[in-house]
């Protein structure tokens, strides 16, 4: 057998292995690019869906102007004068302005509660 023929056959074999490796590297790179493009599209679709859902939810928000109906309770919790079972002028004013209190009070005292302070 000719040694040059063996060297040529070995060179062709090494070349074929190198070509197969080069092709596999390109195929892997193409697959990775395709995977990345698919993930980017999925991210865009998810972002658009989330933005659309948020916009839809925001459009259904119903704004209501609500008046707080328990300002007396807030004063009772925050004022230290109520720890001694005494009320202050702010509490008396709020109690007198509460709907239904004036109607329940007797007509002789004009619907107002007596001033706060020690009993005589």
């Amino acid at each position: 057998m000719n040694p040059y023929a063996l060297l040529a056959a070995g060179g062709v074999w090494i070349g074929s292995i190198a070509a197969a490796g080069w092709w596999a590297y390109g195929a892997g790179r193409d697959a990775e690019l395709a995977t990345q493009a698919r993930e980017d599209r999925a991210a865009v679709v998810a972002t658009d869906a989330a933005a659309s859902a948020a916009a839809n939810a925001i459009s259904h928000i119903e704004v209501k102007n609500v008046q707080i109906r328990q300002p007396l309770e807030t004063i009772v919790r925050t004022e230290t004068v109520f720890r001694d079972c005494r009320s202050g002028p702010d509490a008396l004013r709020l109690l007198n302005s509460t709907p239904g209190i004036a109607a329940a009070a007797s007509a002789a005292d004009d619907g107002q509660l007596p001033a706060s302070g020690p009993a005589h």
Side-chain angles (χ1 to χ4, degrees), residues 21-117:
W22 182 264
W23 177 85
Y25 176 77
R29 185 182 61 221
D30 292 344
E32 181 59 31
L33 289 174
T35 300
Q36 187 64 40
R38 184 173 50 249
E39 289 174 358
D40 289 344
R41 276 195 311 268
V44 167
V45 167
T47 302
D48 290 344
S52 175
N56 188 23
I58 290 171
S59 70
H60 287 97
I61 291 176
E62 184 176 332
V63 178
K64 294 180 182 178
N65 292 325
V66 180
Q67 181 180 4
I68 297 174
R69 303 185 81 142
Q70 285 86 15
L72 183 60
E73 288 181 4
T74 303
I75 291 175
V76 169
R77 283 192 305 255
T78 59
E79 296 291 326
T80 58
V81 70
F82 295 103
R83 292 182 189 156
D84 299 330
C85 297
R86 293 176 292 154
S87 62
D90 291 335
L92 182 62
R93 179 184 46 79
L94 287 170
L95 188 58
N96 284 334
S97 67
T98 304
I101 294 292
S106 66
D109 59 5
D110 196 23
Q112 298 294 316
L113 294 174
S116 65

